């Protein structure tokens, strides 16, 4: 397993739980900072390895929605909507769970390349993983979870169709400010097409960020600066400021090559509209670990290919369907953000659906499939987009 984030750790846990020898490679030392809002929705909670206790910094039961800083309205739920964590703490706990299951963790190692043919590969059932220091690791199967810019994503040939730039700041605040935000998040529909901003409270720190399509980094940076100033947070010095790219796979992008499968960010698996990736990482990681065991047991290339295709089918039948709806939601949101804001803040059934998604009792795909009103509305927005695009 290459990469010890949620996807890689989940894959290692799943494979080690079946009694396989598992090596989990991680470039950084754990715990390490990771740019991420840290929202844990119900689907993420359900996909956690057994025995993992979430290191929650806050529980959210209220969401304030704004439209470019205006038209604010707060919606509340009697039940917790989702939890907030620091990724450094979450990733460390997931790696510990993988180790308890029997996986061996090696940190501080960088993968230089992955090979399945050539003089360094003793037979057709083996994958050679070359480390930066010259060491070579041999495996019967490999799970790539080293991010969308990692070696395994390139090796498999993952194709990406949506790339977004996220900017984020961790802002320590005094107790009176922290108290004002406790249990409540802010989501602001932004000025750039498909953009939005967020404030996630985590004890004495607020995670403040924005995301928009890659291509105009200066405009995205201005959005973050204006967003932070508008909230009255510009006077507090961030302890960390960071940026990252999120990448969504193309619909027909490969998920495997030979005995190598990819999951999580390395496969470009995340929700296109919200860019939520933790639940996709945990769920695809578990699938990847389970099928990596079957690939490792395959006696020839034909059987290995069959198992890899089964893994791809499992991902596409579940996560792929959700992503397809997310793409439609993003396209509609880019054209009609005011409609989304009005529906979420003024139409109670829409808020209830939002709450159910965050709590994990349903998904966007399930809502569109089973709720006629949601299906009709999204289809109408699809048609409006097609008409405007044909002019």
């Amino acid at each position: 397993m290459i990469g010890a984030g949620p996807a890689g750790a989940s894959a290692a846990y799943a494979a080690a739980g079946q009694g396989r020898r598992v090596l989990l490679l991680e470039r950084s030392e754990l715990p390490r900072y990771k740019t991420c809002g840290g929202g844990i929705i119900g689907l993420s909670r359900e996909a956690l390895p057994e025995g993992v206790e979430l290191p929650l910094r806050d529980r959210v039961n209220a969401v304030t929605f704004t439209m470019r800083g205006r038209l604010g309205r707060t919606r509340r739920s009697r039940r917790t909507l989702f939890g907030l964590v620091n990724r450094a703490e979450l990733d460390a706990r997931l790696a510990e769970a993988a180790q308890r299951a029997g996986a061996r963790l090696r940190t501080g190692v960088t993968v230089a390349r992955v090979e399945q043919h050539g003089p360094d590969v003793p037979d057709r059932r083996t994958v050679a993983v070359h480390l930066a220091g010259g060491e070579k690791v041999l495996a019967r199967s490999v799970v790539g979870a080293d991010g969308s810019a990692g070696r395994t994503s390139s090796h498999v040939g993952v194709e990406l169709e949506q790339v977004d730039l996220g900017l984020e700041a961790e802002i320590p605040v005094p107790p009176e400010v922290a108290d004002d935000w406790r249990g409540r998040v802010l989501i602001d529909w932004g000025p750039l097409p498909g953009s939005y901003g967020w404030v996630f409270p985590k004890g004495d720190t607020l995670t403040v960020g924005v995301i928009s399509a890659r291509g105009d980094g200066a405009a995205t940076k201005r959005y973050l600066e204006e967003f932070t100033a508008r909230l009255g947070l510009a006077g507090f010095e961030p302890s960390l400021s960071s940026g990252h790219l999120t990448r969504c796979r193309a619909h027909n992008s490969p998920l495997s090559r030979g005995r190598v499968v990819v999951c999580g960010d390395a496969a470009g698996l995340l929700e296109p509209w919200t860019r939520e990736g933790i639940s996709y990482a945990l769920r695809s990681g578990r699938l990847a670990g389970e099928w990596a065991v079957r690939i490792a047991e395959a006696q020839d290339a034909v059987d290995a290919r069959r198992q890899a295709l089964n893994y791809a089918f499992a991902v596409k039948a579940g996560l792929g369907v959700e992503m397809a709806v997310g793409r439609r939601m993003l396209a509609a949101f880019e054209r009609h953000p005011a409609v989304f804001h009005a529906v979420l803040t003024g139409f109670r059934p829409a808020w209830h659906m939002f709450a159910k998604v965050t709590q994990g009792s349903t998904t966007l795909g399930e809502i569109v499939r089973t709720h006629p009103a949601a299906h009709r509305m999204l289809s109408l927005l699809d048609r409006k987009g097609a008409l405007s695009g044909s002019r």
Side-chain angles (χ1 to χ4, degrees):
M1 315 296 171
I2 302 174
S10 293
Y13 174 86
Q18 295 188 43
R20 304 296 302 193
R21 291 176 58 198
V22 176
L23 177 62
L24 181 58
L25 302 175
E26 168 57 39
R27 180 176 57 185
S28 305
E29 299 294 337
L30 298 179
R32 48 94 174 95
Y33 177 76
K34 182 76 171 179
T35 303
C36 180
I40 302 296
I41 62 175
L43 290 171
S44 298
R45 192 171 55 248
E46 293 168 4
L48 289 171
E50 185 177 353
V52 172
E53 298 240 355
L54 286 171
L56 292 178
R57 291 303 184 100
D58 204 346
R59 297 177 185 270
V60 175
N61 58 19
V63 181
T64 298
F65 295 100
T66 58
M67 181 78 182
R68 302 182 187 180
R70 298 177 292 110
L71 305 174
R73 182 169 184 183
T74 299
R75 287 287 200 176
R76 300 185 182 276
S77 171
R78 293 179 181 177
R79 293 177 52 209
T80 297
L81 296 168
F82 55 93
L84 297 173
V85 301
N86 286 331
R87 275 289 304 276
E89 297 168 349
L90 174 65
D91 290 9
R93 292 200 181 185
L94 292 171
E96 290 167 1
Q99 291 177 89
R100 288 196 300 271
R104 185 163 70 95
L105 173 66
R106 284 186 61 184
T107 58
V109 292
T110 301
V111 172
R113 67 183 188 279
V114 176
E115 291 185 346
Q116 300 192 66
H117 307 284
D120 290 322
V121 183
D123 57 60
R124 298 298 296 273
R125 292 185 59 203
T126 303
V127 182
V129 179
H130 294 266
L131 306 183
E135 183 181 354
K136 179 176 65 176
V137 178
L138 301 179
R140 292 298 186 195
S141 65
V142 169
V143 173
D146 49 345
S148 57
R151 300 295 185 185
T152 55
S153 183
S154 176
H155 177 79
V156 168
V158 175
E159 299 171 4
L160 306 165
E161 69 173 10
Q162 176 187 330
V163 182
D164 298 291
L165 170 64
L167 300 177
E168 194 170 75
E170 303 288 346
I171 304 179
V173 293
E176 59 271 20
V177 176
D179 288 343
D180 183 54
W181 285 97
R182 187 165 291 116
R184 177 176 65 95
V185 303
L186 172 75
I187 297 176
D188 176 70
W189 311 121
L192 305 170
S195 68
Y196 73 94
W198 63 88
V199 178
F200 285 179
K202 299 173 183 175
D204 59 359
T205 298
L206 301 179
T207 298
V208 181
V210 301
I211 194 163
S212 66
R214 182 182 65 172
D216 195 342
T220 305
K221 184 178 179 182
R222 281 197 303 274
Y223 177 28
L224 177 61
E225 291 171 348
E226 293 168 358
F227 181 52
T228 305
R230 193 165 61 228
L231 294 168
L233 300 174
F236 301 113
E237 187 69 25
S239 59
L240 282 167
S241 295
S242 61
H244 69 293
L245 295 176
T246 64
R247 299 173 169 93
C248 286
R249 65 189 297 272
H251 175 67
N252 291 320
S253 176
L255 290 166
S256 67
R257 176 181 173 187
R259 291 175 176 266
V260 179
V261 300
V262 287
C263 58
D265 286 347
L269 292 167
L270 70 156
E271 202 285 301
W273 176 36
T274 64
R275 289 80 156 187
E276 189 277 322
I278 295 177
S279 76
Y280 282 74
L282 291 167
R283 290 180 288 167
S284 65
R286 175 171 293 184
L287 290 172
E290 292 171 352
W291 257 275
V293 170
R294 299 170 192 178
I295 293 171
E297 294 170 348
Q299 297 300 311
D300 54 44
V302 173
D303 190 22
R305 177 62 176 164
R306 183 184 304 114
Q307 300 302 336
L309 287 173
N310 287 339
Y311 164 68
F313 177 80
V315 170
K316 292 176 181 178
L319 303 181
V321 171
E322 293 177 29
M323 289 185 70
V325 173
R327 289 186 184 96
R328 294 172 64 193
M329 295 285 286
L330 176 63
F333 173 66
E334 287 175 337
R335 296 188 298 268
H336 308 288
V339 172
F340 278 72
H341 181 72
V343 169
L344 276 171
T345 58
F347 187 50
R348 188 172 294 275
W351 162 250
H352 288 161
M353 290 179 188
F354 176 92
K356 288 180 179 180
V357 169
T358 60
Q359 290 163 346
S361 60
T362 189
T363 65
L364 286 175
E366 185 72 8
I367 288 172
V368 172
R369 188 177 67 85
T370 60
H371 289 72
H375 176 76
R376 284 195 300 270
M377 181 176 179
L378 187 55
S379 296
L380 176 62
L381 292 173
D382 285 342
R383 286 196 295 273
K384 285 187 176 181
L387 288 172
S388 63
S390 64
R391 291 172 185 162

